Amino acid sequence: MNKIRIRYCFLYIILIAVLLTASLLTIYTKSSVISENSQLMEQASNKTKQCFDAVKEYKLENNIEIPDYDILETGMIGYKTRTSITSTEGKLSSKRTSTNPNWAAVIISYFEKCGLKENDQIGIICSGSFPALNIASVCAAEAYGLDYCLMISVGSSYYGANDPNFTNLEIFNLLYSKNLISKLPDLVSLGGANDIGSDFRNADEKNNIIERINNSSIQYLYEEDYETNINKRIDIFSSIVPNMKLLISCGGSLVAMGKENEAFLDNGLFKGDSYYNYSKSKNTGLLGYYKSMGVNVASLVNISYLALSNNIPNDPTIAPVIGIESNCNSYFVIKYKIYIPIIGIVLSFGLLSCIYIYRKRHKKELVSRK
C-alpha cells in the first residue's frame, strides 16, 4: 500500500514540476516587440512636444515666468506659491514627471488595450493640475483618429496651470489658435471647491476668468448642486459622444473623482466590466458612474506610480527622448512563446491520464483480491 502511495506522490510531483517549469519558461522566454502603433505613438508624442513649445514660447513673449524649478524649461510647470485659483496641494516631482511627451504613447496604449478603432468615441476630463497630461491626452486622441468630448476646468493644484491670467482655458485657446489641436473644449467650469471655484481667493480675478469664459465660444457650466452638475455632464457626453468607449480623467477634479466614500481612488486604466463596481449615488463621480455602466475608464492622477509602471523617468533631470529609444513600455508589446504552455498542458493531460489509468487498474486489483 505504501509503495502505491509513493507512486501516486511521484506522479503528482512530476505533474506539478511540469506545470511550474512550463510557467517559468513562458515567463522567462517572453520578448518585447515594437507595437504596430509605435509610429502613431511617436507622432502623438511629437505633437505633444510641439504644444509644450508653443505654450513656452507664448510665456516668454508675454513675460510669464518660467520658474527655475521647471528644470527642463518645458513651460508646463506653474507656480509653487498659492495663487487665487490654486485649489489643492501638488507635488513638484509629479508635475515634472508629467512633462514627458511620451505620455501620449501611454495613452494610445490605453486605446489599444480597450480595443478602440478609428472614429470611436471617448470622453476627456481635464483639471488645470496637469496641463502637460491634458495636452498629451488630446494629442493622443487626435493622432488615433478618435471622436472626443473634452471637458476642462480652471482650478489647479500647486505647480499646475495656476496662473489666473493664463489658465487651462487660455492654454487650450492658444493651441487651437495655432492649429495644434483640431477643436476647442466642449465645456469649461471653474473647478476647485464644488466645481464652482468656491475656494478662489480673489473675487476680481474670479470674475475676470468668468468674463473670459463668457467671451469664448465654449459652453460654461456653473452648477452649485453637485448631483445636478454630474447629471448635466452625463447629458452632454450622451449628446456629443453617445457611444463613449473610454473616459479619461487628467488630474483629480471633483466631478471626475466623486466625493467622500464614493470617491474613485484607483489609478490607471480599468475595464468597465472589471471587479470594481459603483452604485449611482449623490456623491458618485463620472469615473465611477461610467465604470459601473460598462465604460472603460482611465484616471491619471498618481503620476509617480504610473511612470514606474510605464518605464517613464520620475522627476527627470535630462530632456526625454521621444519614441522607441525612450524605452517607454508603451512602444512595445510583450510576446510569449505560446508553444511552451501548450507543451506543458499536453504533458499535464498525459500525466493525469496515467494517474487515472493507474488508479483504475489499482481498483481492479483490489476488487479481484477480495
Side-chain angles (χ1 to χ4, degrees), residues 19-302:
L19 291 172
L20 282 175
T21 302
S23 299
L24 290 172
L25 283 174
T26 301
I27 293 170
Y28 284 107
T29 58
K30 68 181 180 181
S31 60
S32 60
V33 297
I34 298 173
S35 167
E36 62 180 20
N37 282 320
S38 61
Q39 290 186 337
L40 203 61
M41 292 175 177
E42 188 169 342
Q43 176 188 329
S45 298
N46 279 318
K47 178 56 72 70
T48 299
K49 179 63 166 59
Q50 289 176 36
C51 291
F52 292 175
D53 291 342
V55 172
K56 177 184 175 181
E57 182 181 356
Y58 179 88
K59 286 185 172 183
L60 291 172
E61 289 175 351
N62 291 274
N63 297 316
I64 299 174
E65 179 187 5
I66 296 178
D68 56 5
Y69 46 82
D70 184 359
I71 298 173
L72 301 180
E73 298 182 347
T74 63
M76 304 309 299
I77 305 295
Y79 298 131
K80 64 180 178 181
T81 53
R82 183 178 288 274
T83 69
S84 63
I85 63 170
T86 305
S87 53
T88 55
E89 297 291 332
K91 195 174 180 182
L92 177 57
S93 60
S94 294
K95 301 303 171 89
R96 290 197 291 227
T97 302
S98 74
T99 63
N100 189 319
N102 290 302
W103 282 108
V106 174
I107 294 164
I108 286 180
S109 75
Y110 288 173
F111 300 159
E112 290 178 332
K113 291 171 183 174
C114 293
L116 300 187
K117 306 297 181 186
E118 187 177 357
N119 297 319
D120 278 346
Q121 297 180 338
I122 68 167
I124 307 174
I125 304 173
C126 297
S127 75
S129 296
F130 288 97
L133 291 181
N134 299 347
I135 292 170
S137 297
V138 170
C139 288
E142 295 197 349
Y144 208 79
L146 300 177
D147 182 13
Y148 65 94
C149 175
L150 173 62
M151 298 184 180
I152 69 169
S153 55
V154 171
S156 165
S157 57
Y158 284 92
Y159 307 109
N162 62 343
D163 182 343
N165 296 310
F166 190 62
T167 71
N168 208 18
L169 173 69
E170 280 70 45
I171 289 174
F172 277 106
N173 279 333
L174 171 69
L175 299 179
Y176 177 71
S177 70
K178 290 184 172 293
N179 296 316
L180 290 170
I181 59 175
S182 65
K183 59 177 273 189
L184 287 170
D186 297 285
L187 180 135
V188 59
S189 66
L190 292 177
N194 302 312
D195 196 44
I196 56 173
S198 298
D199 50 353
F200 288 7
R201 291 162 186 79
N202 186 309
D204 289 338
E205 288 184 346
K206 180 177 180 179
N207 289 333
N208 185 267
I209 291 169
I210 293 172
E211 183 179 352
R212 299 201 308 263
I213 293 173
N214 287 329
N215 287 334
S216 75
S217 59
I218 304 170
Q219 181 178 350
Y220 176 38
L221 178 62
Y222 185 98
E223 178 54 62
E224 295 182 2
D225 181 74
Y226 176 78
E227 191 172 8
T228 304
N229 185 322
I230 295 297
N231 288 332
K232 284 184 176 181
R233 289 173 181 270
I234 291 170
D235 288 342
I236 292 168
F237 275 133
S238 297
S239 173
I240 298 175
V241 283
N243 298 309
M244 183 165 66
K245 295 183 177 180
L246 171 67
L247 175 63
I248 302 172
S249 170
C250 302
S253 69
L254 179 73
V255 293
M257 306 295 285
K259 300 196 299 182
E260 300 172 8
N261 292 334
E262 294 297 320
F264 189 96
L265 301 178
D266 291 324
N267 194 51
L269 175 67
F270 295 89
K271 294 296 185 70
D273 58 354
S274 65
Y275 71 94
Y276 206 89
N277 191 33
Y278 271 79
S279 58
K280 180 73 171 67
S281 79
K282 63 180 181 180
N283 291 325
T284 303
L286 290 164
L287 287 171
Y289 169 76
Y290 278 105
K291 190 169 188 302
S292 70
M293 298 297 290
V295 176
N296 304 308
V297 299
S299 178
L300 309 181
V301 64
N302 186 344

Side-chain angles (χ1 to χ4, degrees), residues 304-312 329:
S304 296
Y305 169 79
L306 288 176
L308 181 64
S309 59
N310 288 284
N311 202 28
I312 284 182
N329 290 345

